């Protein structure tokens, strides 16, 4: 739950969210598929595979079908492991685009149908300009809250009693305002994303 003092923090140069924009907040960004190739609705540009949930088969970009469909448990969650035969993938002209495994055969790990379809719709939605514009507002607010957590540490209350905790939040928001105003006036607006030290070092080495 976000403290009232932090929720009303002034962010110089940040856009102001209108009631209409806040009425339907965007979903959190979904990660792209980890597989070498993608299924329908994936976000990568490699060849896609077609899933037939009724027959429990997957058809690869070359038009060949999978040989095994195994429901499993992974990290306590339901998943489906699809395997293509080695003989099917061995002489396929698209093998290098589909798999990098040593055995040379394609394997896919999917979530159950309903969850898979929801992920596909979410990945397609987050490519639209409407979703990006809405999430830009949320990203600014989350950046402010994350900075407040790093600087003031108000995730845990330092004092007992609501009046003291409320005063702590008010002072924390005031300090955050002063820091951000100083950064805005001396080093420019806070409009750049955060980068790790390793990423900044790589930029310097490549310059």
């Amino acid at each position: 739950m976000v403290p009232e003092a932090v929720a009303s923090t002034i962010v110089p140069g940040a856009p102001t969210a209108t009631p209409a924009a806040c009425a339907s907040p965007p979903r959190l960004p979904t990660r792209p598929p980890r597989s070498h190739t993608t299924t329908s609705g994936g976000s990568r540009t490699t060849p896609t595979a077609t899933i037939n949930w009724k027959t429990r088969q997957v058809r690869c970009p070359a038009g060949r079908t999978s040989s095994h469909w195994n429901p499993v448990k992974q990290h306590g969650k339901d998943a489906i492991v699809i395997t293509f035969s080695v003989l099917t993938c061995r002489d396929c002209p698209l093998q290098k685009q589909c798999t990098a495994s040593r055995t040379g055969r394609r394997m896919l790990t999917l979530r159950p149908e309903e969850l898979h379809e929801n992920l596909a719709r979410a990945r397609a939605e987050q490519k639209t300009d409407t979703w990006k514009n809405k999430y830009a507002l949320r990203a600014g607010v989350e950046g402010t809250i994350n900075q407040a957590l790093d600087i003031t540490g108000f995730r845990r209350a330092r004092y007992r009693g609501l009046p003291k905790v409320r005063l702590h939040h008010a002072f924390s928001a005031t300090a955050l305002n002063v820091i951000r105003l100083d950064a805005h006036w001396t080093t420019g607006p806070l409009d750049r994303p955060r980068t790790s030290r390793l990423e900044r070092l790589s930029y310097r080495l490549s310059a």
Side-chain angles (χ1 to χ4, degrees), residues 30-39 41-44 109 116 123:
T30 57
R31 296 181 178 179
R34 296 182 180 180
S35 57
H36 190 72
T37 184
T38 56
T39 55
S43 60
R44 297 184 184 179
T109 301
H116 177 84
R123 287 170 179 147

Side-chain angles (χ1 to χ4, degrees), residues 35-38 46-47 60-61 84-86 88-90 92-108:
S35 57
H36 190 72
T37 184
T38 56
T46 49
C60 74
F84 286 80
S85 172
V86 177
T88 301
C89 298
R90 180 177 299 171
C92 179
L94 302 178
Q95 182 188 29
K96 294 183 179 180
Q97 300 181 37
C98 286
T99 181
S101 66
R102 296 180 179 178
T103 58
R105 67 175 180 176
R106 186 72 187 105
M107 294 184 66
L108 289 172

Side-chain angles (χ1 to χ4, degrees), residues 36-140:
H36 190 72
T37 184
T38 56
T39 55
S40 301
S43 60
R44 297 184 184 179
T45 57
T46 49
T48 57
T50 303
I51 307 172
N52 191 326
W53 297 97
K54 293 183 178 180
T55 61
R56 295 190 172 189
Q57 287 183 326
V58 175
R59 185 178 296 273
C60 74
R64 308 183 183 190
T65 57
S66 59
S67 57
H68 295 88
W69 178 290
N70 300 319
V72 297
K73 284 279 188 180
Q74 290 186 349
H75 307 289
K77 297 181 180 180
D78 293 330
I80 303 170
V81 177
I82 293 95
T83 308
F84 286 80
S85 172
V86 177
L87 298 178
T88 301
C89 298
R90 180 177 299 171
D91 59 345
C92 179
L94 302 178
Q95 182 188 29
K96 294 183 179 180
Q97 300 181 37
C98 286
T99 181
S101 66
R102 296 180 179 178
T103 58
R105 67 175 180 176
R106 186 72 187 105
M107 294 184 66
L108 289 172
T109 301
L110 305 177
R111 295 301 178 190
E113 181 178 3
E114 183 178 359
L115 180 56
H116 177 84
E117 297 297 336
N118 289 338
L119 285 173
R121 284 192 295 268
R123 287 170 179 147
E125 181 185 1
Q126 70 186 34
K127 293 181 180 179
T128 62
D129 293 336
T130 302
W131 188 94
K132 293 178 181 179
N133 293 334
K134 288 184 177 181
Y135 191 77
L137 300 176
R138 177 171 183 166

